[in-house]
Amino acid sequence: LTLTREQLKVHASGAISTIYGDEFRAQDAYALQCRMPEPPLLLADRVVGLNAEPMSMGRGTIWTETDIPRDAWYLNEGVMPAGIAVESGQADLTLISWLGVDFINKGERAYRLLGCDLSYHGTLPRAGDTLRYEIHVDGHAKVGGVRLFFFHYDCWVNGKLRMTVRNGQAGFFTNRELADSGG
């Protein structure tokens, strides 16, 4: 599976089955789904590869690229801020969606990042650079009704490793669970 920026926009707000295929048609009806953010917060420009069995809730890997235009809204003196660089690795949302989490959540649970260990290696990306992400879903767990998944990723800028995320954890929560949380 490869996806263009236009197809990623569909992942953000359109019918998932138009990019994932008919086996995902039931997901289209869910009001709440695991999706990429809409522009301008959609930072991934393309999915260049995906190695995962659809709807398997197994492990998998996705490769994405993000180009930094010289006129990008988020640039600060030509440099991509650290928080935007981290958010550009947002395609864990696409990968866990492809793995079928919405067929378990059935429109009742929302994604939340819980934590990770993040390291920068070298300088922050600049205008004109391309970020390449390799994102892995490493495993899953269920605690009560809450489904968790674990991930890690690497980000290369112009062929050099610039950021690593390890021990990533995210979960899917109901509105009530989120409202009753302590943080």
Side-chain angles (χ1 to χ4, degrees):
L1 177 75
T2 60
L3 299 172
T4 65
R5 181 155 180 87
E6 290 308 309
Q7 290 169 313
L8 287 171
K9 288 179 185 177
V10 170
H11 189 274
S13 60
I16 294 291
S17 64
T18 62
I19 56 173
Y20 283 178
D22 285 340
E23 63 191 308
F24 283 84
R25 190 166 305 281
Q27 180 179 332
D28 293 340
Y30 298 143
L32 188 59
Q33 298 178 46
C34 183
R35 296 177 171 272
M36 294 284 278
E38 293 181 325
L41 297 178
L42 175 60
L43 299 168
D45 287 310
R46 61 201 152 269
V47 172
V48 296
L50 184 116
N51 182 13
E53 188 68 32
M55 298 174 56
S56 68
M57 283 308 290
R59 297 178 181 190
T61 305
I62 191 168
W63 294 268
T64 67
E65 294 180 345
T66 298
D67 300 322
I68 306 175
R70 299 202 182 280
D71 63 349
W73 62 268
Y74 50 76
L75 290 176
N76 180 19
E77 297 183 10
V79 177
M80 178 184 257
I84 299 293
V86 171
E87 285 299 320
S88 294
Q90 60 197 195
D92 65 313
L93 297 163
T94 303
L95 179 54
I96 198 68
S97 170
W98 175 255
L99 289 170
V101 73
D102 287 306
F103 290 97
I104 294 168
N105 293 335
K106 299 193 182 308
E108 298 173 359
R109 295 184 168 275
Y111 170 97
R112 290 296 182 269
L113 177 66
L114 300 174
C116 66
D117 298 326
L118 170 69
S119 298
Y120 290 100
H121 310 280
T123 60
L124 289 169
R126 303 188 66 79
D129 287 343
T130 296
L131 289 70
R132 290 182 177 85
Y133 289 86
E134 180 177 316
I135 304 165
H136 301 264
V137 168
D138 300 316
H140 306 267
K142 187 175 177 187
V143 179
V146 176
R147 178 159 299 272
L148 304 171
F149 76 97
F150 308 97
F151 65 94
H152 76 277
Y153 70 74
D154 295 321
C155 173
W156 291 268
V157 177
N158 303 325
K160 295 181 181 172
L161 184 65
R162 292 284 182 85
M163 182 173 37
T164 53
V165 168
R166 298 294 182 264
N167 303 311
Q169 321 101 44
F172 296 91
F173 303 89
T174 64
N175 289 334
R176 182 75 173 160
E177 289 165 341
L178 292 170
D180 291 344
S181 72

